[in-house]
Amino acid sequence: MADLKEGGIVKKGHEEGLKMAVSILEEYGLPLGLLPLADVIEVGFVKSSGYMWILQTKKVEHNFKMIKKLVSYDAEITGYVEKKRIKKLKGVKAKELMLWPPVNDISVDDPPTGKIQFKSLAGITKTFPEGAFAAGQ
């Protein structure tokens, strides 16, 4: 794992980590409320590869009210951030009926349509309004 993190910028603690996570989402054109984090230990980002990692003290479940979707964020979340997309995402699951399929790809439509897509390894793709993931949702 250490090799993936080489050359990365690391912020420790909840406030600094959250600030960095939000600034990465902003810089890459992703909704700012996409990662509702709690008790952040560390956030790291390697600009050259887009590799990002987030460590929290515990798993967090967040209900996105606008779309009535419960999403689970593990204590460790990793993925590769690029313009309007997070790929090879690990540590995020969205409740689908009785199942929790892992979400491994998130992308915002480009050119913008106001839509965001979530794909799971199981081949399930869901599209939602981007506003559902705005900061504070």
Side-chain angles (χ1 to χ4, degrees), residues 85-137:
R85 185 168 177 210
I86 302 174
K87 60 184 188 181
K88 294 186 183 170
L89 184 62
K90 289 189 173 81
V92 178
K93 298 180 181 92
K95 190 163 189 193
E96 210 49 67
L97 303 169
M98 302 304 284
L99 304 170
W100 287 88
V103 176
N104 71 319
D105 193 288
I106 299 174
S107 58
V108 174
D109 288 355
D110 195 17
T113 60
K115 300 280 187 215
I116 182 166
Q117 292 184 0
F118 294 81
K119 293 181 186 130
S120 76
L121 289 170
I124 300 166
T125 299
K126 292 280 180 188
T127 303
F128 296 108
E130 209 179 314
F133 302 94
Q137 280 296 321

Side-chain angles (χ1 to χ4, degrees), residues 63-79:
N63 192 14
F64 289 97
K65 293 175 193 69
M66 194 169 138
I67 55 169
K68 297 175 178 66
K69 183 63 70 185
L70 188 62
V71 181
S72 160
Y73 297 84
D74 287 347
E76 182 174 5
I77 301 163
T78 62

